[in-house]
Amino acid sequence: REEVFETFEKSVRQGKLVARVQDGDPSFFGTLQEQLAFLEKKKIPYTIIPGVSCLQGSAASLKRELTLPSVSQTVIITRPEGRTPVPASESIRELAQHQATMVIFLGTPQIAAVVAELQKGGYPKDTPTAVVYKATWPEQKIVQGTLSNIVEKVKAAGIMKTALIFVGKVLNPEAFDFSKLYDPS
């Protein structure tokens, strides 16, 4: 981190244009805030240029809307505990109680534990589940199943990281009511 910060400052002071390109989603589980704090402390001007989130890319690849009338109007974006702790009230098990659509970042290395926590939190074993590896990349892989079989399918596909886990009834393409937006009444 310090080496990156030193490079920012040195290059800017030399009049160079600096671009910090970051993989993943800088606004989700990244290091964006600490970089911004450094830049602000050093009074280095910056602009954030957003890209398409892997969450949105994955939803497009799955050909699914993450909120559906009468199914789920909430999307919970979370991650399991790893090197960075998660508050107890935001554990996978606690959040699963809502039965909302969940998108879990950084969970594939421990997918068996994530699935166990989802079930302990209340999702039934037949809950539709999908894992999207490297969304929108040429080597993208999509594995679909339910909580009862997704672990084996993901392991068989060789997916170990760089993937998102999607859980929820919205993944069932037939389980929704039509929106009231275009309702003639």
Side-chain angles (χ1 to χ4, degrees):
R1 169 180 33 198
E2 273 59 36
E3 191 175 328
V4 171
F5 290 168
E6 287 172 17
T7 302
F8 282 170
E9 187 173 18
K10 179 181 174 186
S11 299
V12 167
R13 303 293 178 227
Q14 293 173 348
K16 295 179 179 176
L17 177 63
V18 178
R20 170 71 165 105
V21 180
Q22 188 163 327
D23 66 344
D25 287 313
S27 59
F28 301 125
F29 315 113
T31 60
L32 182 64
Q33 200 61 47
E34 60 192 53
Q35 293 176 55
L36 300 182
F38 170 81
L39 295 171
E40 289 172 9
K41 179 181 175 187
K42 297 293 184 171
K43 299 192 180 347
I44 298 172
Y46 61 89
T47 302
I48 299 172
I49 302 169
V52 173
S53 164
C54 65
L55 186 155
Q56 294 164 314
S58 293
S61 294
L62 288 168
K63 299 179 180 160
R64 292 292 171 264
E65 183 176 343
L66 300 180
T67 58
L68 291 174
S70 303
V71 179
S72 178
Q73 291 294 295
T74 301
V75 179
I76 297 174
I77 302 166
T78 192
R79 61 175 294 256
E81 187 159 288
R83 288 187 305 215
T84 302
V86 172
S89 62
E90 295 180 12
S91 71
I92 300 284
R93 185 185 302 194
E94 287 295 316
L95 295 174
Q97 293 179 42
H98 295 285
Q99 299 293 298
T101 304
M102 286 183 71
V103 181
I104 303 165
F105 281 68
L106 306 169
T108 49
Q110 50 191 347
I111 191 164
V114 168
V115 166
E117 287 300 296
L118 288 164
Q119 290 178 351
K120 288 174 186 173
Y123 281 104
K125 289 182 179 187
D126 65 348
T127 303
T129 308
V131 173
V132 181
Y133 169 79
K134 291 194 175 184
T136 75
W137 294 26
E139 59 269 34
Q140 171 182 283
K141 289 182 191 176
I142 296 174
V143 177
Q144 294 181 299
T146 64
L147 286 176
S148 66
N149 63 17
I150 198 70
V151 173
E152 293 77 26
K153 288 182 172 196
V154 167
K155 287 182 180 179
I159 298 172
M160 304 295 288
K161 59 181 181 173
T162 323
L164 296 181
I165 302 168
F166 289 76
V167 180
K169 295 174 187 170
V170 296
L171 297 174
N172 178 349
E174 298 162 9
F176 71 97
D177 291 333
F178 283 101
S179 167
K180 300 299 180 200
L181 182 62
Y182 300 110
D183 188 330
S185 63

